[in-house]
Amino acid sequence: MANWFECKVRYDKMMENGVPKKVNEPYLVDALSFTEAESRIIEEQTPFISGDFSVSAVKRTKISEIFRDDTADRWYLAKVAFITIDEKTATEKRTVSQILVAGSDFDSAYKNFLDGMKGTLADFDLVSLSETPLMDVYGMKVTGSNPAPATEE
């Protein structure tokens, strides 16, 4: 199971009009600890940012799964209620999970969500689907001479 951390990176970004502006952009990193998440975001962002930058925040998220789309440039957060029936009391129980979905726009994110949920045996309701400010998502890096196949969760 992946541990997703939201890392905010603060740096001076050159705007289209040529004026530098201080920005604080969020990224998502798969890491085992807060320390590793900070180290990974520094490693991933160093080639893209000229000048000084800092990691202003690292926090654990409750994202349980990610549905990727390499053609998409935005990230949407889907809150999904999985519905189960308690056999003893015959009552309906709803368990909410958060799934990050890539999409070029709302419609493509919704389609990618439905495609990702195909084959799901549990009943579910899509509670909400909203665009996030996330700039990019970095999965776990596989290193070593005999890497295991990468899996998304």
Side-chain angles (χ1 to χ4, degrees), residues 26-96:
Y27 296 87
L28 205 62
V29 176
D30 184 9
L32 297 174
S33 67
F34 287 89
T35 306
E36 183 186 353
E38 183 176 10
S39 173
R40 284 277 319 282
I41 197 62
I42 290 170
E43 176 187 340
E44 295 287 354
Q45 288 302 299
T46 298
F48 302 110
I49 299 175
S50 61
D52 291 338
F53 69 94
S54 65
V55 179
S56 60
V58 177
K59 69 178 183 179
R60 190 181 305 267
T61 66
K62 294 183 178 180
I63 293 172
S64 61
E65 207 168 336
I66 294 185
F67 298 152
R68 293 184 180 274
D69 179 356
D70 293 334
T71 63
D73 59 347
R74 296 183 191 154
W75 292 97
Y76 292 80
L77 184 65
K79 292 186 181 176
V80 183
F82 290 98
I83 303 164
T84 56
I85 305 292
D86 185 347
E87 293 177 12
K88 293 180 182 175
T89 61
T91 57
E92 188 177 275
K93 181 181 176 187
R94 298 167 63 91
T95 306
V96 177

Side-chain angles (χ1 to χ4, degrees), residues 63 74-80 97-103 105-107 109-110 113 126-134:
I63 293 172
R74 296 183 191 154
W75 292 97
Y76 292 80
L77 184 65
K79 292 186 181 176
V80 183
S97 292
Q98 296 182 6
I99 299 174
L100 197 64
V101 182
D105 55 21
F106 183 85
D107 290 335
Y110 181 67
F113 168 76
L126 179 60
V127 177
S128 70
L129 181 65
S130 58
E131 188 175 353
T132 69
L134 289 173

